[in-house]
C-alpha cells in the first residue's frame, strides 16, 4: 500500500459560548466552515467532559459483553438500529470495516433493541440522557444553518424533531478492533473513505485513539481520495471539542452550497499510525421520514426524509456491488 500523502490543514474551531447573544457571529463562522471545509470543531457546547466520558464507559461496557449477549439486540437494516460486527462494507475498499457498532434511536424502533437492565445496568438511562444532550447541541447548529440559508430559525429543528414517531436520528457507538502490527500484506480497514448521508454529524473521540482523517471533496481527484492529500484530525487530551461534518443531506438542502466531506478512519499500516482499540460515538442528525426536503433554489427534486434515506442507501448498495465486481474481476 502506497504511503499516504498528508497536509496539515487546520479545521475551524467555533465556540458556542453565549449562544443567544453571539448567534450572528456563530452563524457567520459556521456558514464559512460549511462552504469552504465541510468539517469544523465546536467547543463551549454545554456537554461536560464527564458526561462524554460516562457515555464512553457505557459504550465499553456494552462492547465488552460476549457476542452471544450483544446478538440479542441484532442490527435491523429496515429500522437502522441494533448491534452489528464486521458487517459494513465500504464501496471505497470493497471489504468489511474492522469494527462493531451499536445504533440507537429515540423512537419505538428501540423498544426491542435495549438489553435488560440486569444485563447492562444504567446503560439505557445514560445513553438516553447523552442522546438528548447531543440533540440540544445539534439544534443550535440547525438554527444557524437555517439562518445562513434563508429559512426560518426553527426550520431544520422542526425537520429533525426527535420526539416524533418517524424520527430517524441515530447515535452510533463504535468500537474498532486492535490491528496486528505485522507486515503480512493485508490492509486492515477500519472505516473506508466515505461521506455521511445525514444533515450534520457530531463525532466524539477519545484522546490517544487517533485515526480520523479528512480529504475535502472539492480537492479530491478520485472518487474515494485514494491518491489525494489527507489531513489527520487528532483527538486532543482533556478537550471538550466535538468534531462535526456536513452530510450529503445538508449539501443537497443547501443546493450544494455547503460541502459534504470525504473522511475515513485510517487503516493502520504506516509508522506513527494507531494500532490499538478505538472507540468513538457518532451522532447522525437525520430528518423525520415525512419531512419534505428541497433547497430554496430547487436544484434537486423534492423528496421526503424517508425517500432521501432510501435513495442514499440504494446508492451505497449499488456502489458496494460494483466494488465487489471490480475486485472479483481483478482476481480472476
Amino acid at each position: 500500500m502506497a504511503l499516504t500523502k498528508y497536509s496539515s490543514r487546520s479545521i475551524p474551531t467555533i465556540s458556542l459560548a453565549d449562544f443567544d447573544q453571539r448567534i450572528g457571529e456563530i452563524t457567520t463562522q459556521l456558514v464559512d466552515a460549511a462552504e469552504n471545509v465541510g468539517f469544523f470543531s465546536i467547543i463551549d457546547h454545554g456537554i461536560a467532559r464527564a458526561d462524554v466520558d460516562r457515555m464512553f464507559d457505557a459504550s465499553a461496557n456494552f462492547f465488552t459483553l460476549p457476542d452471544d449477549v450483544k446478538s440479542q439486540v441484532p442490527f435491523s437494516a429496515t429500522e437502522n438500529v441494533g448491534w452489528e460486527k464486521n458487517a459494513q462494507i465500504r464501496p471505497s475498499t470493497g471489504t468489511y470495516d474492522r469494527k462493531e457498532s451499536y445504533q440507537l434511536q429515540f423512537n419505538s424502533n428501540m423498544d426491542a433493541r435495549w438489553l435488560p437492565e440486569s444485563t447492562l445496568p444504567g446503560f439505557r438511562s445514560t445513553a438516553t440522557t447523552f442522546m438528548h444532550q447531543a440533540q440540544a447541541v445539534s439544534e443550535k447548529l440547525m438554527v444557524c444553518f437555517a439562518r445562513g440559508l434563508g429559512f426560518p430559525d426553527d426550520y431544520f429543528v422542526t425537520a429533525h424533531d426527535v420526539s416524533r414517531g418517524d424520527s430517524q436520528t441515530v447515535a452510533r457507538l463504535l468500537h474498532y478492533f486492535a490491528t496486528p502490527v505485522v507486515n503480512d500484506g493485508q490492509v486492515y480497514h477500519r472505516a473506508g473513505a466515505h461521506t455521511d448521508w445525514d444533515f450534520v454529524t457530531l463525532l466524539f473521540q477519545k484522546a490517544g485513539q487517533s485515526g480520523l482523517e479528512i480529504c475535502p471533496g472539492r480537492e479530491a481527484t478520485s472518487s474515494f481520495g485514494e491518491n489525494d492529500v489527507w489531513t489527520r484530525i487528532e483527538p486532543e487530551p482533556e478537550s471538550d471539542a466535538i468534531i462535526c461534518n456536513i452530510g450529503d443531506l445538508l449539501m443537497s438542502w443547501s443546493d450544494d452550497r455547503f460541502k459534504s466531506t470525504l473522511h475515513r478512519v485510517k487503516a493502520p499500516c504506516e509508522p506513527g499510525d494507531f494500532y490499538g482499540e478505538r472507540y468513538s460515538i457518532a451522532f447522525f442528525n437525520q430528518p423525520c421520514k415525512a419531512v419534505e426536503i428541497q433547497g430554496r433554489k430547487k436544484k434537486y427534486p423534492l423528496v421526503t426524509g424517508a425517500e432521501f434515506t432510501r435513495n442514499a442507501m440504494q446508492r451505497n448498495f449499488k456502489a458496494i456491488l460494483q466494488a465487489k465486481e471490480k475486485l472479483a474481476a481483478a482476481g480472476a
Side-chain angles (χ1 to χ4, degrees):
M1 183 176 182
L3 293 178
T4 303
K5 300 175 185 176
Y6 285 106
S7 170
S8 59
R9 308 177 189 93
S10 61
I11 66 170
T13 297
I14 301 169
S15 170
L16 301 188
D18 302 317
F19 182 80
D20 291 338
Q21 292 72 38
R22 296 180 51 246
I23 189 169
E25 174 189 352
I26 294 170
T27 295
T28 298
Q29 294 174 350
L30 284 171
V31 167
D32 180 71
E35 288 181 328
N36 296 300
V37 184
F39 262 77
F40 53 92
S41 171
I42 55 174
I43 58 175
D44 305 319
H45 42 70
I47 305 179
R49 184 71 232 181
D51 291 337
V52 177
D53 290 340
R54 188 176 299 111
M55 188 64 239
F56 270 119
D57 289 343
S59 174
N61 289 340
F62 173 83
F63 286 123
T64 54
L65 292 170
D67 285 0
D68 62 346
V69 175
K70 290 178 287 190
S71 65
Q72 296 173 22
V73 287
F75 180 73
S76 166
T78 57
E79 298 174 345
N80 202 28
V81 294
W83 172 74
E84 62 180 358
K85 179 180 180 180
N86 293 333
Q88 186 171 19
I89 301 177
R90 299 288 183 186
S92 57
T93 63
T95 189
Y96 295 99
D97 289 349
R98 290 178 57 84
K99 69 176 190 293
E100 58 181 332
S101 66
Y102 184 26
Q103 300 205 166
L104 314 173
Q105 288 187 14
F106 292 88
N107 60 30
S108 60
N109 289 339
M110 280 301 299
D111 289 349
R113 294 297 188 278
W114 295 108
L115 286 173
E117 182 71 12
S118 58
T119 302
L120 202 58
F123 179 87
R124 182 171 181 172
S125 62
T126 298
T128 301
T129 297
F130 180 80
M131 289 164 66
H132 280 287
Q133 289 177 302
Q135 177 66 17
V137 174
S138 300
E139 289 180 358
K140 291 181 179 180
L141 304 182
M142 290 176 190
V143 170
C144 293
F145 287 134
R147 287 191 172 199
L149 293 171
F151 290 111
D153 281 5
D154 65 349
Y155 185 79
F156 292 131
V157 173
T158 301
H160 295 81
D161 182 356
V162 296
S163 70
R164 289 174 45 163
D166 65 342
S167 167
Q168 299 185 98
T169 289
V170 167
R172 190 179 199 193
L173 311 184
L174 291 151
H175 174 217
Y176 299 91
F177 306 121
T179 300
V181 188
V182 294
N183 185 16
D184 59 2
Q186 295 189 57
V187 179
Y188 295 93
H189 293 284
R190 288 188 153 173
H194 63 283
T195 59
D196 295 339
W197 68 56
D198 64 335
F199 184 86
V200 62
T201 302
L202 276 60
L203 181 69
F204 299 83
Q205 302 188 91
K206 286 182 70 77
Q209 299 182 1
S210 60
L212 177 64
E213 299 179 352
I214 69 170
C215 180
R218 61 174 54 193
E219 298 179 21
T221 58
S222 58
S223 59
F224 294 112
E226 301 95 329
N227 302 311
D228 295 289
V229 179
W230 291 83
T231 295
R232 295 184 176 96
I233 307 297
E234 300 286 351
E236 299 177 6
E238 306 304 320
S239 171
D240 73 339
I242 304 173
I243 303 300
C244 304
N245 65 276
I246 304 303
D248 296 343
L249 172 62
L250 180 50
M251 186 167 174
S252 174
W253 226 330
S254 70
D255 299 300
D256 290 346
R257 178 180 168 189
F258 297 162
K259 306 301 178 184
S260 179
T261 303
L262 202 64
H263 56 286
R264 68 184 184 184
V265 178
K266 174 73 180 293
C269 59
E270 300 176 18
D273 287 346
F274 177 67
Y275 286 79
E277 286 183 291
R278 184 179 191 274
Y279 288 88
S280 65
I281 303 168
F283 189 79
F284 298 110
N285 290 278
Q286 299 187 158
C288 297
K289 291 182 179 179
V291 166
E292 294 184 341
I293 297 165
Q294 189 173 48
R296 296 182 72 230
K297 295 183 179 179
K298 296 180 170 54
K299 182 174 181 178
Y300 298 104
L302 186 147
V303 294
T304 65
E307 289 169 337
F308 188 93
T309 299
R310 183 171 62 250
N311 293 342
M313 294 179 72
Q314 288 175 347
R315 286 194 301 272
N316 188 58
F317 292 148
K318 182 179 179 180
I320 289 170
L321 289 174
Q322 291 174 339
K324 285 184 174 180
E325 290 170 357
K326 183 176 179 181
L327 285 175

